[in-house]
Amino acid sequence: MEKISIRGVNFDNVTMDEAIEICKSFLKSNDGAKIIHTPNAEITQMCVESKEVNKTVNGADLIIPDGAGVVLASKILKKKLKCKVAGIELCENLARISGEMNARIFFLGGKPGIPEKAAEKLLEKYPDMIIAGTNDGYFKSDDEIIKKINDANTDILFVCLGVPKQEQWMEKHRNDLNIKLMGGFGGSFDVLSGTIQRAPKIFIKLNLEWFYRLCKEPKRIGRMMKLPKFILGSVKDRVFRIKR
């Protein structure tokens, strides 16, 4: 896999189809739990500002560019990524291929009832999906939840605990989990369950999904300010490299 460093995060330069094939190879291997991280511009800026978060994110086995801002930064820096690879769409594709791969999926995270609804909705869409189990993100004991996941003979673990908690949790427990693959998918359960509506296709196509979410949730403005900061930092990096 070709790696492209964008502001210190080593993204895999893959399309969605290529990411799916890599995940299939992980599911066929017996190398222990593989980790997927899905940084967007906000998370990548978090990595710029925190060496600890940067180290955790870069420790994944597959890092996909989940955001138009990351792809834009790659163009500014003249290190072009092929395309945006949305985490929620990879999550859905893993659900789609789980039956084909005989892979059992465990849903971890979200508010009580949300992972169950997300699993139900995905099962309606992909009847061959194999559900290992569900648990909300308000568990108190890591040991108990790890035992529950392992006892369910889980192959794929969807982790939606928020950033950077989900990334740190996966890294910490990689060797405790008897699974093949796990990915951090942020607030995907809220969308997959129907609790929150994803942006209409026209917004996604125009790379304005962030704007739609901001209109729906104005309280996100503080977090969204990381996007212009990230792009400005990319421009400065480019200018500095040219001058040097």
Side-chain angles (χ1 to χ4, degrees):
M1 292 183 289
E2 179 191 15
K3 292 279 189 179
I4 293 185
S5 178
I6 305 297
R7 309 294 312 282
V9 174
N10 299 317
F11 288 92
D12 291 287
N13 193 17
V14 295
T15 62
M16 178 62 75
D17 287 343
E18 289 168 338
I20 293 167
E21 289 305 312
I22 291 167
C23 290
K24 285 182 177 181
S25 72
F26 290 159
L27 291 170
K28 292 175 183 176
S29 74
N30 292 303
D31 265 352
K34 302 295 185 181
I35 295 176
I36 305 169
H37 288 330
T38 60
N40 56 16
E42 177 188 336
I43 296 168
T44 306
Q45 180 62 31
M46 196 180 296
C47 291
V48 171
E49 297 171 359
S50 169
K51 290 182 179 180
E52 181 183 353
V53 176
N54 180 285
K55 182 179 178 182
T56 298
V57 169
N58 277 319
D61 301 283
L62 177 62
I63 305 173
I64 60 173
D66 181 14
V70 174
V71 177
L72 174 59
S74 78
K75 293 176 181 177
I76 292 170
L77 294 167
K78 303 297 181 182
K79 301 177 177 181
K80 291 185 180 179
L81 290 164
K82 293 177 182 177
C83 59
K84 169 185 171 181
V85 183
I88 189 170
E89 292 173 14
L90 180 58
C91 186
E92 279 211 49
N93 275 300
L94 288 172
R96 177 179 59 81
I97 67 169
S98 70
E100 167 195 338
M101 302 296 295
N102 196 31
R104 296 166 57 83
I105 304 177
F106 195 103
F107 294 68
L108 176 65
K111 295 179 180 179
I114 294 299
E116 290 81 6
K117 286 182 181 178
E120 289 171 10
K121 291 285 187 181
L122 279 177
L123 189 59
E124 290 174 8
K125 195 170 183 179
Y126 307 109
D128 293 334
M129 182 181 73
I130 307 171
I131 300 173
T134 63
N135 203 97
D136 62 57
Y138 293 82
F139 55 90
K140 294 181 180 179
S141 169
D142 283 356
D143 290 340
E144 287 181 9
I145 198 64
I146 288 167
K147 184 177 186 303
K148 183 175 180 179
I149 293 165
N150 287 339
D151 287 350
N153 295 318
T154 301
D155 297 295
I156 302 172
L157 177 62
F158 292 162
V159 186
C160 292
L161 300 175
V163 180
K165 182 179 178 179
Q166 62 191 19
E167 288 78 11
Q168 294 166 339
W169 192 90
M170 287 188 288
E171 178 186 52
K172 180 179 179 181
H173 297 296
R174 181 200 286 257
N175 296 325
D176 301 323
L177 291 158
N178 302 325
I179 64 175
K180 299 289 184 69
L181 172 65
M182 57 181 159
F185 297 109
S188 294
F189 289 172
D190 288 327
V191 177
L192 294 172
S193 67
T195 305
I196 292 177
Q197 184 181 0
R198 193 180 180 193
K201 289 182 180 179
I202 185 63
F203 281 83
I204 296 171
K205 185 177 181 179
L206 294 173
N207 294 323
L208 291 172
E209 192 168 4
W210 62 272
F211 180 70
Y212 178 84
R213 294 184 69 186
L214 180 59
C215 291
K216 286 288 185 178
E217 301 176 72
K219 64 181 180 181
R220 295 176 61 91
I221 184 65
R223 291 174 56 183
M224 289 294 186
M225 289 308 295
K226 286 188 179 293
L227 177 57
K229 187 176 182 180
F230 170 73
I231 296 300
L232 181 59
S234 301
V235 172
K236 287 181 178 178
D237 282 359
R238 173 64 179 161
V239 170
F240 177 75
R241 190 190 307 159
I242 292 172
K243 286 183 177 180
R244 191 173 58 178

